[in-house]
Amino acid sequence: MLYDNFAMLTKRELLIRIVKLLKDDELVTKLKYLPIEMRPRNKKPVRCCVHKDRYILKHKIISILGFDIVDEEIDLIHLSEFARMAMANKNTKENILSVVHEACSACIQSQYAVTNLCRGCEGRPCVMNCPKAAISFKGGKATISTEDCVSCGLCQKVCPYHAIVYTPVPCQDACPVKAIDKDEEGIEHIDKDKCIYCGKCMQACPYGAIMERSKIIDIHKTLTHPNKKIIAIVAPAIYGQFNASAGQILSAIKQIGFDDVIEVALGAEITASKEAEELQERIEKGSAFMTSSCCPAYTGWVNKHAPLLKPYVSDTRSPMVYAARYVKEKYPEAEVVFIGPCLAKRYEADSVPEVDYVMSFEELGAFMVAYDINVANCSEKDLNEGVTRYGRGFAQAGGVRAAIVNAVGNGVTTLAIEGLDKKNQALLKTMVKKPEAQFVEVMACDGGCINGPCSLAPLTLAKRQIKKVLDQ
């Protein structure tokens, strides 16, 4: 498992330890020891003291178990009791994302600040160019009034010594839809009416304070139930996560205990076919353009922030839905677990009856470590028939566009958009009046699904690995 920072490492270590306790049937009896084991007294604390570190770990554990962490009464409940409630299916909650309040208290409000590089120059272009007179000089150094500053950034641009820096709140700065804001106590809150579950905030937080809802308890219970069948449907992005063949990766997942493992690329083939037909029909009816619909973060953005684009979004369902329908037809009594890198898939899965649970790649990695499964040593599992490199290529940016071109032909103009930053949001909105292509692929993550917020491999490595699989 690869790590981008120590906060991510802590989260994944918690996942591994919890899965190991589940595997050994020791969750209720030994969960309470995790904060102490991970932050012993002889280990230098991350924050002010070992007690705060342990308190934060407890809250993260509660979130992983599937409980919300907004109510202060959770401090009165022992971890062992949370474990019992989780095993008794009492861990349902509405929020997909939760903020661990004690971990989210170190970031100051976004602002511009003057560093000690300021030379107190005679030119003082910062003062001359500030539109709000927010800059003054004291003791020969510039200071910025936070009450008057409007964060225009002009002072930073004109300073000859680069002495002015911008200090953002990482999660707020990363959020493309301004769904996060601090309350009067300095704690971040996520507005569900604005959030599109792209996961950017979760990736950006340097304290690991933003946690997603987990269903590993329910998945484990079904995996170990003697009379239940459970099928994994795996997103094509999985092929960018491990240095192994596609067959080995699917075989490793099956070893966790799934009765069968189906490629979501099978659903991608259906999506590509139906979307190509829909595109041709729309063009014949005079529609200027159509966008893809397989990214739930993008469709969430349209629904909540750009309703003018709704008529131009494809009505075709995502590959996850079509793959799940295939499983339900083949195994009517089975429970379906979608395994992918996408936080927004948790939101999408809540709205479709075909998918029972969502497991992230991070959670999958925890299961593999806990079950001592080495992907590179696994035997080859047969891949699903009828899946082409176009279906498996859905995972990378440009993959959907390539599949549509393959199905329709080169006569259709296409465009691929990666990420939902301000520039791309503005571009999409202007297409209503000035379309740049007949088919527009939109993915909320730069690089596509292989760079989803719950991925294991960094983008550069994922690109190389998935290319290797597609070229086989």
Side-chain angles (χ1 to χ4, degrees):
M1 298 173 71
L2 298 171
Y3 309 99
D4 296 319
N5 55 59
F6 286 107
M8 191 67 71
L9 187 150
T10 298
K11 173 188 175 184
R12 293 177 183 178
E13 182 182 353
L14 280 171
L15 285 168
I16 292 169
R17 286 174 174 266
I18 289 173
V19 174
K20 282 183 177 179
L21 291 178
L22 285 168
K23 176 175 171 282
D24 297 334
D25 197 23
E26 295 177 335
L27 186 71
V28 174
T29 57
K30 294 189 176 181
L31 183 67
K32 61 185 177 183
Y33 297 113
L34 286 196
I36 298 173
E37 291 171 356
M38 291 179 64
R39 295 293 184 270
R41 288 185 183 275
N42 60 358
K43 185 175 180 178
K44 187 176 180 180
V46 176
R47 295 166 182 83
C48 61
C49 64
V50 67
H51 305 292
K52 184 165 185 177
D53 279 0
R54 291 173 181 175
Y55 180 77
I56 291 171
L57 284 175
K58 175 186 174 181
H59 280 229
K60 291 185 177 183
I61 291 169
I62 291 169
S63 181
I64 290 173
L65 292 182
F67 295 94
D68 214 342
I69 47 177
V70 295
D71 195 334
E72 288 188 359
E73 289 188 5
I74 63 172
D75 293 333
L76 304 176
I77 304 174
H78 201 274
L79 274 178
S80 298
E81 183 59 27
F82 276 112
R84 290 190 189 93
M85 290 190 294
M87 296 301 289
N89 286 333
K90 297 187 185 223
N91 56 344
T92 56
K93 68 177 185 181
E94 292 183 2
N95 295 334
I96 291 174
L97 287 171
S98 294
V99 178
V100 180
H101 288 189
E102 287 300 318
C104 179
S105 58
C107 296
I108 60 172
Q109 189 63 44
S110 299
Q111 62 181 25
Y112 283 87
V114 181
T115 70
N116 58 8
L117 292 175
C118 177
R119 309 309 301 163
C121 64
E122 181 180 354
R124 302 187 177 182
C126 56
V127 175
M128 291 288 291
N129 288 275
C130 180
K132 295 295 181 181
I135 303 176
S136 60
F137 271 72
K138 296 179 182 177
K141 301 287 184 182
T143 61
I144 300 175
S145 167
T146 56
E147 291 80 13
D148 299 320
C149 178
V150 292
S151 297
C152 66
L154 286 174
C155 58
Q156 184 188 47
K157 292 178 182 178
V158 299
C159 177
Y161 294 103
H162 305 287
I164 299 175
V165 297
Y166 178 63
T167 55
V169 176
C171 60
Q172 289 183 9
D173 197 50
C175 179
V177 293
K178 301 187 183 302
I180 307 177
D181 202 6
K182 283 184 177 292
D183 62 15
E184 61 277 3
E185 297 177 356
I187 303 300
E188 299 291 346
H189 285 273
I190 301 172
D191 187 340
K192 291 191 295 183
D193 294 329
K194 293 181 179 179
C195 181
I196 60 174
Y197 304 105
C198 63
K200 300 293 185 185
C201 60
M202 189 172 66
Q203 288 178 302
C205 178
Y207 291 92
I210 300 177
M211 301 285 292
E212 81 270 31
R213 178 176 65 193
S214 176
K215 288 292 184 180
I216 58 172
I217 302 291
D218 302 300
I219 293 170
H220 167 78
K221 287 166 64 177
T222 305
L223 282 168
T224 55
H225 196 288
N227 300 319
K228 286 188 177 181
K229 190 180 288 290
I230 185 167
I231 312 297
I233 57 173
V234 190
I238 193 68
Y239 302 126
Q241 305 300 303
F242 301 97
N243 186 20
S245 68
Q248 285 178 310
I249 295 171
L250 298 182
S251 177
I253 296 171
K254 194 172 188 301
Q255 286 186 35
I256 293 173
F258 290 101
D259 294 286
D260 199 359
V261 180
I262 303 295
E263 295 182 87
V264 171
L266 189 66
E269 298 286 351
I270 300 172
T271 294
S273 175
K274 288 182 176 292
E275 208 154 57
E277 291 177 5
E278 184 183 359
L279 175 62
Q280 289 176 314
E281 290 176 1
R282 290 196 181 205
I283 291 175
E284 289 172 2
K285 292 179 180 178
S287 181
F289 74 102
M290 183 184 83
T291 76
S292 59
S293 60
C294 55
C295 174
Y298 163 62
T299 55
W301 173 74
V302 171
N303 290 332
K304 295 181 179 181
H305 301 278
L308 75 166
L309 282 166
K310 279 187 180 182
Y312 304 96
V313 178
S314 169
D315 294 323
T316 302
R317 301 308 300 265
S318 70
M320 177 186 76
V321 174
Y322 289 123
R325 287 178 181 176
Y326 169 83
V327 171
K328 289 293 188 181
E329 289 177 5
K330 188 175 181 180
Y331 306 103
E333 302 303 320
E335 293 188 357
V336 177
V337 179
F338 171 80
I339 302 177
C342 179
L343 180 67
K345 284 295 181 185
R346 297 188 189 273
Y347 181 74
E348 182 186 1
D350 285 344
S351 64
V352 296
E354 297 91 347
V355 180
D356 297 287
Y357 306 114
V358 171
M359 175 190 282
S360 71
F361 283 168
E362 288 181 313
E363 293 166 345
L364 172 66
F367 270 87
M368 287 185 173
V369 173
Y371 280 67
D372 197 24
I373 298 171
N374 188 329
V375 181
N377 294 335
C378 291
S379 59
E380 294 277 346
K381 182 186 182 300
D382 291 337
L383 304 181
N384 291 114
E385 293 183 5
V387 178
T388 68
R389 68 188 312 276
Y390 293 104
R392 296 188 180 102
F394 255 57
Q396 58 186 343
V400 180
R401 176 174 67 173
I404 295 299
V405 170
N406 177 65
V408 177
N410 291 320
V412 174
T413 58
T414 62
L415 175 68
I417 292 178
E418 301 177 44
L420 287 174
D421 56 19
K422 290 181 180 179
K423 180 181 177 181
N424 285 338
Q425 288 184 41
L427 173 62
L428 283 163
K429 289 177 180 178
T430 59
M431 283 190 191
V432 173
K433 293 183 178 180
K434 188 180 178 182
E436 296 200 6
Q438 292 170 305
F439 178 77
V440 183
E441 171 200 301
V442 188
M443 291 193 177
C445 296
D446 297 330
C449 303
I450 55 174
N451 193 35
C454 303
S455 296
L456 292 171
L459 180 58
T460 52
L461 181 60
K463 282 182 176 179
R464 289 200 303 268
Q465 179 55 31
I466 199 165
K467 182 179 184 302
K468 191 188 302 182
V469 170
L470 295 178
D471 290 343
Q472 288 176 349

